[in-house]
Amino acid sequence: MSAHPRLADGQPRLEVTYVRTGLSRLLDDPTVLAVLGFGPDAPAHGDPRYLRLGLHPLGDAPFEVWRTGGRVQHGREGALAWAADGALMFGAIELDEALVDGSGDIESAAFEAYRRLEASIRARGYPHLLRTWNYLADITGGDGDEERYRRFCVGRARGISTVEGALRTGKLPAATAIGRTDGAHRLQVYWLAARLPGTPLENPRQVSAYRYPRQYGPQPPSFARAMLPPAGSDMPLLLSGTAAVVGHETRHPGSVRDQFDETLANFDSLLSAARAVSPGLPADFGRGTHLKVYVRDAEELETVAGLLDTRFGDRVPRLLLHAAICRRDLRMEIDGVHG
Ligand code: 3EB
């Protein structure tokens, strides 16, 4: 079924693609680990491997499909959906903020989501969290330390640290935290976990997020800038949400064009760091790269689409999404995979 070389038993394999095939046909494939649909116009489906995300795409979005090397089993535990192939696990949890212990706040929802995530990856035997995505409403709502993103960071860190050692800085997953644009106060967290550990990477141009100074909130964000897959796997590099942050400061708050260039300079630097460990990775983005490009102001989506066209032509598959970024002065952010 697959043209890829056979890997030793239990070695992870993951391929990410953007496709316009019908959803049922995608889910008929037993090697499909996850399918992501974007925005309220994406279809609904009960398969635990399918997640519809609360972010509006520019135009008619494809599905994002994750395929693995083995047969996938899947199921649900309450609000949590999972799928796994013996080497990798996809999981997703959606929590209505109002329903979490009656408090209705994002900190409690994040705590609860991460507590359940940790319990689930451990119980199923995939204890190494490689990558997380976090989509929450009104991400920059509230002021100072009451800002929702800051409360989210507090809840996330509390949830992860219920398990001994998991928050150690050398073990944090690559991540994205983005504001959903459909108005629903429902926290969506989805992830990729593995039986074997990956290698987290930092970016020499950026202060590690887990060392951000106090001015950004009481709890520095718990993520690494990228994750190299477990040794011996056939998987891309997992790129965290990356924006125009140099050191720890936002650059070019007034210009989405300059933020775009700064973001790509950050990726250049991150890819150099990744290639120092894994020299086989391509130095430039190309066909094996898949990017999700998040833009805060709907009016700037077309501008960013044009910047991507100019920079990459049709060489780099990408998906544009309308989504709020977790700092008010960040106009855009990009995450993705590269291999
Ligand atoms: C930054 O560089 C931008 O809190 O999980 C990017 C990726 C960002 C992940 C997270 C936040 C997160 O600080 C914000």
Side-chain angles (χ1 to χ4, degrees), residues 81-306:
W82 63 271
D85 76 339
L88 296 173
M89 173 194 185
F90 162 77
I93 185 162
E94 298 190 77
L95 294 176
D96 206 324
E97 288 176 35
L99 298 182
V100 179
D101 69 24
S103 59
D105 68 41
I106 186 65
E107 179 181 332
S108 308
F111 170 74
E112 193 58 25
Y114 275 86
R115 195 180 64 75
R116 293 195 210 177
L117 176 165
E118 274 284 355
S120 175
I121 63 177
R122 297 212 154 227
R124 298 199 174 277
Y126 302 85
H128 301 286
L129 194 54
L130 302 180
R131 182 67 171 93
T132 66
W133 291 259
N134 307 275
Y135 295 164
L136 52 144
D138 193 19
I139 190 163
T140 54
D143 289 320
D145 286 347
E146 292 310 308
E147 186 181 63
R148 284 169 52 82
Y149 173 61
R150 297 187 183 189
R151 300 321 308 170
F152 165 81
C153 287
V154 172
R156 169 172 60 180
R158 276 177 48 222
I160 300 181
S161 59
T162 54
V163 175
E164 131 275 328
L167 203 65
R168 281 213 317 265
T169 50
K171 298 188 68 179
L172 291 171
T176 299
I178 278 288
R180 58 190 296 172
T181 43
D182 63 354
H185 274 244
R186 230 169 128 67
L187 172 64
Q188 291 186 306
V189 179
Y190 64 101
W191 65 87
L192 180 70
R195 283 214 192 280
L196 302 170
T199 305
L201 298 176
E202 292 302 312
N203 189 331
R205 288 184 98 225
Q206 300 183 296
V207 172
S208 295
Y210 53 79
R211 297 209 175 104
Y212 279 172
R214 177 64 180 86
Q215 71 201 76
Y216 299 100
Q219 170 63 55
S222 314
F223 70 98
R225 297 294 180 183
M227 183 67 72
L228 276 169
S233 61
D234 178 9
M235 275 178 69
L237 173 69
L238 306 167
L239 304 164
S240 289
T242 301
V245 172
V246 181
H248 56 75
E249 285 170 345
T250 299
R251 292 282 167 90
H252 324 295
S255 165
V256 77
R257 288 169 187 279
D258 292 347
Q259 288 206 343
F260 178 85
D261 289 343
E262 202 71 75
T263 300
L264 289 171
N266 276 333
F267 277 132
D268 278 343
S269 156
L270 186 59
L271 287 192
S272 296
R275 279 161 47 80
V277 186
S278 186
L281 278 174
D284 297 308
F285 285 169
R287 283 263 146 240
T289 309
H290 283 73
L291 301 178
K292 292 215 277 285
V293 182
Y294 305 92
V295 180
R296 171 186 290 272
D297 290 330
E299 308 84 73
E300 290 189 333
L301 275 163
E302 292 288 356
T303 308
V304 175

Side-chain angles (χ1 to χ4, degrees), residues 51-62:
L51 184 63
R52 182 166 57 171
L53 300 168
L55 303 173
H56 292 79
L58 176 64
D60 199 8

